[in-house]
């Protein structure tokens, strides 16, 4: 038998999945991923610890299913986008990775906005400017950690780093790096003029070559094989930005379907073959895995991460119990509101989370209900915006890990007027 392995590195979990030639899932191994917050508004990840965790879930899924290393034909990685994973000039991690939910670059982004920088960039990159973008974080590091900036040898994103750990080969995968603001969207390549405009022109020498999603970017090294249980020489493909991999698994092929992702982030995405220049709104575009297509998406860190934070504070682990609490309360019967902006929002820079309307009679059940409603409301906000870009969309596919925990997705079709279906399988990365 032949098998393929997918690694999914998200904001809160990392998972390894094993699949046969028909795409049937044989097993999943998963671990929580810690977010390091050394200062308010910062969101980092220990890079060596991430690699060790990734290696452990790969080994676990192989051993648990009794799969010989030689049976694995290839591996691909799906991962969260944006943020920066930096290596020094010797190829070693240069401090912690900075995640896309990090807000340390807020002042820089606000200054760029006041100077009209987003408008100058958009026609070239089809991206907005916000705190978690690689360019925002690189500019912040240049200003506030110049010694670290001078040591940068390679600029990567999450799946690029994990692929490097597996293969010792440096590359940036196209669906992810295309949303870095260092990539000219219509020409499909890096543009030094963009980096120069953003005040980080010297960073171009640290950008590895771009590889395609399905392109073999390297092969498993002897060191990685010893840690993971994979066979030396196993092919590793470029992989995917997780928003793109979810859209693929949701069956999006044209402008008649949209995908709502209830994961760490709230995301609504669609697929198109054209860039609309007259939409009146700066929709975010990225390169799709299929040639000649783009992914368009609205997103914010307003989904599962907020619920995970609450559960950690209260020591809650039984999601079925949370669902029962909410089911026992009158729907939309409380005046208690929750703004799920613990890690920011695309509604405005510097917005903070809060409970509003809390009174003495409110209990944990009411707080959980408010979180559910706040998360669903943010999803609806993104969906309504995307309906303007995709007026032909008739179906909505709902995916993501939170779908298994949060019954609130049932609220979506009420105002969306779409045929709703859910995809509960986990997304393969190849």
């Amino acid at each position: 038998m032949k098998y393929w392995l997918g690694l999914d590195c998200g904001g809160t979990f990392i998972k390894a999945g094993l699949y046969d030639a028909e795409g049937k899932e044989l097993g999943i191994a998963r671990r929580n991923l810690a977010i390091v917050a050394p200062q308010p508004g910062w969101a980092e990840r220990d890079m060596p610890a991430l690699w060790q965790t990734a290696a452990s879930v790969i080994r676990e899924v192989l051993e648990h299913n009794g799969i010989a290393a030689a049976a694995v034909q290839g591996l691909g990685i799906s991962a969260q986008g944006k943020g920066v994973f930096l290596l020094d000039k010797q190829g070693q991690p240069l401090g912690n990775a900075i995640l896309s939910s990090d807000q340390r670059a807020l002042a820089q982004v606000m200054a760029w906005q006041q100077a009209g920088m987003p408008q100058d960039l958009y026609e070239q990159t089809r991206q907005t400017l916000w705190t978690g973008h690689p360019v925002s974080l690189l500019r912040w590091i240049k200003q506030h950690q110049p010694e670290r900036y001078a040591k940068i040898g390679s600029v990567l994103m999450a799946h690029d780093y994990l692929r490097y750990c597996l293969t010792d080969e440096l590359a940036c995968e196209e669906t992810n790096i295309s949303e870095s603001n260092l990539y000219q969207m219509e020409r499909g390549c890096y543009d030094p003029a963009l980096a120069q405009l953003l005040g980080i022109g010297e960073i171009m020498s640290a950008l590895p070559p771009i590889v395609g999603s399905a392109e073999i970017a390297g092969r498993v090294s002897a060191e990685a094989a010893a840690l993971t249980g994979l066979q030396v020489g196993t092919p590793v493909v470029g992989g995917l930005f997780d928003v793109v991999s979810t859209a693929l698994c949701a069956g999006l092929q044209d402008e008649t379907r949209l995908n709502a992702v209830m994961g760490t982030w709230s995301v609504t995405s669609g697929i198109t073959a054209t860039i609309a220049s007259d939409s009146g709104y700066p929709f975010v575009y990225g390169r799709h895995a299929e040639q000649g297509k783009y992914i368009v998406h609205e997103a914010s860190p307003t989904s599962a991460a907020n619920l995970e934070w609450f559960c950690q504070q209260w020591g809650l682990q039984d999601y079925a119990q949370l669902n029962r609490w909410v089911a026992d309360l009158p729907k939309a019967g409380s005046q208690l509101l929750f703004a799920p902006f613990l890690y920011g929002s695309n509604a405005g820079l510097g917005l903070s989370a809060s409970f509003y309307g809390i009174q003495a009679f409110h209990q944990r059940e009411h707080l959980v209900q408010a979180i559910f409603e706040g998360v669903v409301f943010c999803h609806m906000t993104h969906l309504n915006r995307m309906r303007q870009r995709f007026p032909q969309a008739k179906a909505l596919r709902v995916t993501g890990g939170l779908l298994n925990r949060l019954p609130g997705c049932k609220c979506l079709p009420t105002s969306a007027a779409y045929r709703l279906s859910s995809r509960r399988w986990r997304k393969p990365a190849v």
Side-chain angles (χ1 to χ4, degrees):
M1 290 286 290
K2 295 180 179 180
Y3 302 96
W4 285 261
L5 196 145
L7 188 65
D8 178 29
C9 180
T12 48
F13 291 96
I14 189 166
K15 293 162 281 194
L18 195 63
Y19 304 87
D20 66 15
E22 303 301 319
K24 179 182 177 182
E25 183 180 285
L26 278 73
I28 288 283
R30 61 186 275 164
R31 295 277 190 283
N32 280 87
L33 291 175
I35 295 177
V36 181
Q39 294 191 39
W42 291 25
E44 300 182 349
R45 182 149 288 154
D46 184 309
M47 292 171 65
L50 173 62
W51 163 233
Q52 292 296 322
T53 305
S56 70
V57 293
I58 292 172
R59 178 175 286 278
E60 179 181 335
V61 78
L62 292 175
E63 292 180 349
H64 182 76
N65 291 279
I67 303 300
V72 178
Q73 305 301 298
L75 183 151
I77 307 168
S78 169
Q80 63 180 146
K82 315 298 195 301
V84 286
F85 286 65
L86 302 176
L87 302 179
D88 64 20
K89 292 177 172 60
Q90 288 72 48
Q92 298 300 310
L94 187 58
N96 286 337
I98 306 177
L99 302 180
S100 57
S101 51
D102 191 280
Q103 299 182 62
R104 74 187 68 190
L106 177 61
Q108 177 61 63
V109 174
M110 292 178 71
W112 277 337
Q113 288 188 344
Q114 292 172 1
M117 184 70 75
Q119 293 82 355
D120 293 339
L121 287 172
Y122 184 73
E123 289 299 316
Q124 303 298 315
T125 67
R126 299 295 167 175
Q127 296 289 303
T128 56
L129 266 175
W130 52 283
T131 53
H133 257 115
V135 294
S136 307
L137 297 169
L138 289 167
R139 180 64 183 268
W140 185 93
I141 294 170
K142 180 178 180 178
Q143 290 181 325
H144 298 277
Q145 298 175 344
E147 292 184 1
R148 182 186 185 190
Y149 187 81
K151 295 177 181 178
I152 295 175
S154 300
V155 177
L156 306 173
M157 294 190 195
H159 63 340
D160 300 322
Y161 168 66
L162 290 171
R163 189 184 338 99
Y164 170 71
C165 292
L166 283 162
T167 66
D168 290 330
E169 298 287 345
L170 288 168
C172 282
E173 185 275 319
E174 189 167 30
T175 63
N176 216 336
I177 200 65
S178 69
E179 301 200 26
S180 64
N181 265 318
L182 294 168
Y183 179 99
Q184 213 286 345
M185 188 61 65
E186 296 192 55
R187 292 206 310 269
C189 60
Y190 293 132
D191 188 343
L194 297 171
Q196 198 68 38
L197 184 64
L198 292 159
I200 51 172
E202 58 283 333
I203 209 66
M204 293 303 299
S205 62
L207 297 178
I210 297 173
V211 297
S213 300
E215 183 180 347
I216 294 177
R219 296 179 182 273
V220 172
S221 67
E223 182 180 356
L227 285 172
T228 61
L230 292 166
Q231 182 170 264
V232 174
T234 301
V236 182
V237 297
L240 291 165
F241 180 15
D242 60 4
V243 173
V244 176
S245 60
T246 308
L248 284 169
C249 286
L252 271 63
Q253 297 179 344
D254 54 33
E255 298 196 11
T256 62
R257 291 179 179 175
L258 295 175
N259 176 215
V261 185
M262 287 185 154
T264 301
W265 281 56
S266 301
V267 183
T268 302
S269 60
I271 301 299
T272 183
T274 60
I275 294 177
S277 300
D278 57 351
S279 62
Y281 179 81
F283 288 101
V284 172
Y285 287 75
R287 286 279 174 168
H288 190 43
E290 295 184 49
Q291 190 71 23
K293 292 184 179 181
Y294 302 93
I295 187 164
V296 188
H297 56 92
E298 270 273 300
S300 62
T302 54
S303 195
N306 289 268
L307 181 62
E308 295 289 345
W309 171 85
F310 183 83
C311 290
Q312 289 171 6
Q313 309 313 309
W314 288 87
L316 302 173
Q317 297 181 346
D318 186 353
Y319 290 100
Q321 179 63 63
L322 302 185
N323 291 339
R324 288 192 292 271
W325 285 349
V326 174
D328 289 342
L329 292 172
K331 291 181 174 59
S334 172
Q335 297 299 311
L336 179 60
L337 304 176
F338 176 67
F341 304 151
L342 284 171
Y343 301 98
S345 168
N346 71 346
L349 292 173
L351 294 180
S352 300
S354 64
F355 285 100
Y356 178 78
I358 193 167
Q359 299 182 33
F361 71 87
H362 284 127
Q363 300 178 357
R364 285 185 301 178
E365 292 87 337
H366 298 97
L367 299 178
V368 172
Q369 182 187 47
I371 292 173
F372 280 21
E373 291 174 348
V375 167
V376 170
F377 181 82
C378 283
H379 278 281
M380 285 302 308
T381 300
H382 295 320
L383 175 59
N384 288 335
R385 178 76 71 181
M386 287 290 286
R387 291 173 69 189
Q388 299 175 28
R389 172 59 184 80
F390 291 88
Q392 299 178 39
K394 302 299 181 185
L396 175 68
R397 291 282 175 85
V398 183
T399 58
L402 197 57
L403 182 63
N404 297 316
R405 307 175 197 168
L406 193 155
C409 65
K410 297 176 183 177
C411 302
L412 288 171
T414 302
S415 54
Y418 285 159
R419 176 168 53 86
L420 182 79
S421 62
S422 63
R423 292 277 175 110
R424 293 180 181 272
W425 62 70
R426 297 169 177 86
K427 51 184 178 292
V430 291

